[in-house]
Amino acid sequence: MSSLFTEEICLSKRHEEIVSQRLMLLQQMENKFGDQNTEKVSQLQAAETAFQRNLSLLKDIEAAEKSLQSKIRPHPPPEVVSLETRYWASVEKYIPKWEPFLLRQAPYPIGVEHQNEAENTILNEA
Protein backbone atom coordinates (compact mmCIF):
# COMPACT_ATOMS: atom_id res chain seq x y z
CA MET A 1 0.00 0.00 0.00
CA SER A 2 2.82 2.29 0.80
CA SER A 3 4.27 1.75 -2.70
CA LEU A 4 0.92 2.88 -4.17
CA PHE A 5 0.94 5.88 -1.89
CA THR A 6 4.52 6.73 -2.90
CA GLU A 7 3.65 6.30 -6.54
CA GLU A 8 0.59 8.55 -6.07
CA ILE A 9 2.81 11.25 -4.54
CA CYS A 10 5.31 10.98 -7.41
CA LEU A 11 2.52 11.21 -9.95
CA SER A 12 1.03 14.18 -8.14
CA LYS A 13 4.40 15.96 -8.14
CA ARG A 14 4.87 15.15 -11.81
CA HIS A 15 1.36 16.49 -12.51
CA GLU A 16 2.18 19.73 -10.70
CA GLU A 17 5.41 20.07 -12.71
CA ILE A 18 3.52 19.54 -15.97
CA VAL A 19 0.81 22.04 -14.97
CA SER A 20 3.42 24.64 -13.98
CA GLN A 21 5.29 24.07 -17.29
CA ARG A 22 1.97 24.41 -19.13
CA LEU A 23 1.21 27.69 -17.37
CA MET A 24 4.71 28.93 -18.14
CA LEU A 25 4.33 27.99 -21.83
CA LEU A 26 0.88 29.61 -21.98
CA GLN A 27 2.34 32.79 -20.50
CA GLN A 28 5.16 32.72 -23.05
CA MET A 29 2.65 32.23 -25.85
CA GLU A 30 0.55 35.15 -24.63
CA ASN A 31 3.64 37.35 -24.45
CA LYS A 32 4.73 36.32 -27.93
CA PHE A 33 1.21 36.88 -29.30
CA GLY A 34 1.14 40.33 -27.69
CA ASP A 35 4.57 41.11 -29.16
CA GLN A 36 3.39 39.97 -32.60
CA ASN A 37 0.30 42.17 -32.38
CA THR A 38 2.40 45.12 -31.30
CA GLU A 39 4.79 44.47 -34.17
CA LYS A 40 1.90 44.22 -36.67
CA VAL A 41 0.44 47.50 -35.45
CA SER A 42 3.86 49.11 -35.73
CA GLN A 43 4.32 47.74 -39.27
CA LEU A 44 0.85 48.96 -40.30
CA GLN A 45 1.62 52.42 -38.95
CA ALA A 46 4.96 52.47 -40.77
CA ALA A 47 3.28 51.33 -44.00
CA GLU A 48 0.60 54.04 -43.71
CA THR A 49 3.25 56.68 -43.02
CA ALA A 50 5.26 55.50 -46.04
CA PHE A 51 2.12 55.52 -48.21
CA GLN A 52 1.30 59.10 -47.20
CA ARG A 53 4.91 60.15 -47.78
CA ASN A 54 4.89 58.53 -51.24
CA LEU A 55 1.63 60.29 -52.14
CA SER A 56 3.11 63.60 -51.08
CA LEU A 57 6.28 62.96 -53.10
CA LEU A 58 4.22 61.95 -56.13
CA LYS A 59 2.18 65.17 -55.94
CA ASP A 60 5.39 67.20 -55.63
CA ILE A 61 6.88 65.42 -58.66
CA GLU A 62 3.72 66.00 -60.72
CA ALA A 63 3.70 69.69 -59.77
CA ALA A 64 7.37 70.01 -60.71
CA GLU A 65 6.71 68.22 -64.01
CA LYS A 66 3.85 70.59 -64.87
CA SER A 67 6.00 73.57 -63.97
CA LEU A 68 8.85 72.35 -66.17
CA GLN A 69 6.51 71.56 -69.07
CA SER A 70 5.04 75.04 -68.98
CA LYS A 71 8.55 76.49 -69.08
CA ILE A 72 9.60 74.22 -71.95
CA ARG A 73 6.51 74.89 -74.09
CA PRO A 74 5.65 78.57 -73.85
CA HIS A 75 2.23 79.73 -74.98
CA PRO A 76 2.05 80.27 -78.75
CA PRO A 77 1.60 83.78 -80.11
CA PRO A 78 -1.99 84.98 -80.66
CA GLU A 79 -1.61 84.70 -84.47
CA VAL A 80 -0.86 80.99 -84.18
CA VAL A 81 -3.79 80.47 -81.80
CA SER A 82 -6.08 82.28 -84.26
CA LEU A 83 -4.87 80.18 -87.19
CA GLU A 84 -5.28 77.01 -85.18
CA THR A 85 -8.82 77.95 -84.17
CA ARG A 86 -9.81 78.73 -87.77
CA TYR A 87 -8.22 75.50 -88.97
CA TRP A 88 -10.21 73.35 -86.54
CA ALA A 89 -13.40 75.25 -87.35
CA SER A 90 -12.81 74.47 -91.04
CA VAL A 91 -12.11 70.83 -90.25
CA GLU A 92 -15.34 70.57 -88.26
CA LYS A 93 -17.25 72.22 -91.10
CA TYR A 94 -16.03 69.71 -93.71
CA ILE A 95 -16.16 66.56 -91.57
CA PRO A 96 -19.72 65.64 -92.66
CA LYS A 97 -18.64 65.71 -96.34
CA TRP A 98 -15.47 63.71 -95.75
CA GLU A 99 -16.68 61.21 -93.16
CA PRO A 100 -18.28 58.71 -95.63
CA PHE A 101 -15.13 58.83 -97.79
CA LEU A 102 -12.85 58.29 -94.79
CA LEU A 103 -15.01 55.36 -93.66
CA ARG A 104 -14.78 53.96 -97.21
CA GLN A 105 -18.52 54.21 -97.67
CA ALA A 106 -18.55 56.81 -100.49
CA PRO A 107 -16.32 58.16 -103.27
CA TYR A 108 -14.05 61.17 -103.00
CA PRO A 109 -16.34 64.03 -101.89
CA ILE A 110 -14.93 66.80 -104.07
CA GLY A 111 -15.00 66.06 -107.78
CA VAL A 112 -12.78 67.72 -110.34
CA GLU A 113 -15.60 70.08 -111.33
CA HIS A 114 -15.99 71.19 -107.67
CA GLN A 115 -12.31 71.48 -106.86
CA ASN A 116 -12.04 75.16 -107.90
CA GLU A 117 -15.15 75.90 -105.84
CA ALA A 118 -13.57 74.30 -102.76
CA GLU A 119 -10.33 76.24 -103.29
CA ASN A 120 -12.28 79.51 -103.58
CA THR A 121 -14.17 78.71 -100.38
CA ILE A 122 -10.94 78.06 -98.51
CA LEU A 123 -9.31 81.24 -99.89
CA ASN A 124 -12.38 83.32 -98.97
CA GLU A 125 -12.42 82.03 -95.41
CA ALA A 126 -8.76 82.83 -94.86
Side-chain angles (χ1 to χ4, degrees), residues 67-81:
S67 173
L68 287 173
Q69 284 179 350
S70 68
K71 289 178 183 177
I72 290 172
R73 285 190 247 139
H75 295 289
E79 299 85 18
V80 174
V81 172

Side-chain angles (χ1 to χ4, degrees), residues 8-121:
E8 182 72 25
I9 291 175
C10 286
L11 287 174
S12 179
K13 285 182 183 179
R14 181 67 182 141
H15 176 70
E16 285 182 26
E17 288 174 7
I18 292 171
V19 168
S20 69
Q21 284 180 348
R22 180 179 179 271
L23 287 174
M24 187 175 65
L25 289 172
L26 284 173
Q27 185 63 42
Q28 288 175 354
M29 285 176 55
E30 283 180 14
N31 291 343
K32 186 167 184 150
F33 182 72
D35 292 345
Q36 286 176 343
N37 283 343
T38 305
E39 187 177 332
K40 279 184 183 180
V41 168
S42 174
Q43 287 175 348
L44 287 173
Q45 288 174 343
E48 181 62 28
T49 303
F51 179 76
Q52 294 300 326
R53 183 193 69 233
N54 290 346
L55 278 179
S56 174
L57 289 172
L58 185 61
K59 287 178 184 176
D60 291 345
I61 288 170
E62 288 172 350
E65 182 181 14
K66 285 181 183 177
S67 173
L68 287 173
Q69 284 179 350
S70 68
K71 289 178 183 177
I72 290 172
R73 285 190 247 139
H75 295 289
E79 299 85 18
V80 174
V81 172
S82 173
L83 284 172
E84 193 174 303
T85 304
R86 289 189 353 226
Y87 168 77
W88 284 112
S90 172
V91 168
E92 288 177 8
K93 179 180 175 183
Y94 286 102
I95 282 179
K97 292 180 184 177
W98 282 90
E99 190 172 14
F101 170 74
L102 294 173
L103 295 173
R104 300 179 190 252
Q105 297 171 348
Y108 190 76
I110 302 174
V112 176
E113 64 275 3
H114 301 306
Q115 192 165 8
N116 289 336
E117 183 182 312
E119 288 174 359
N120 288 338
T121 305

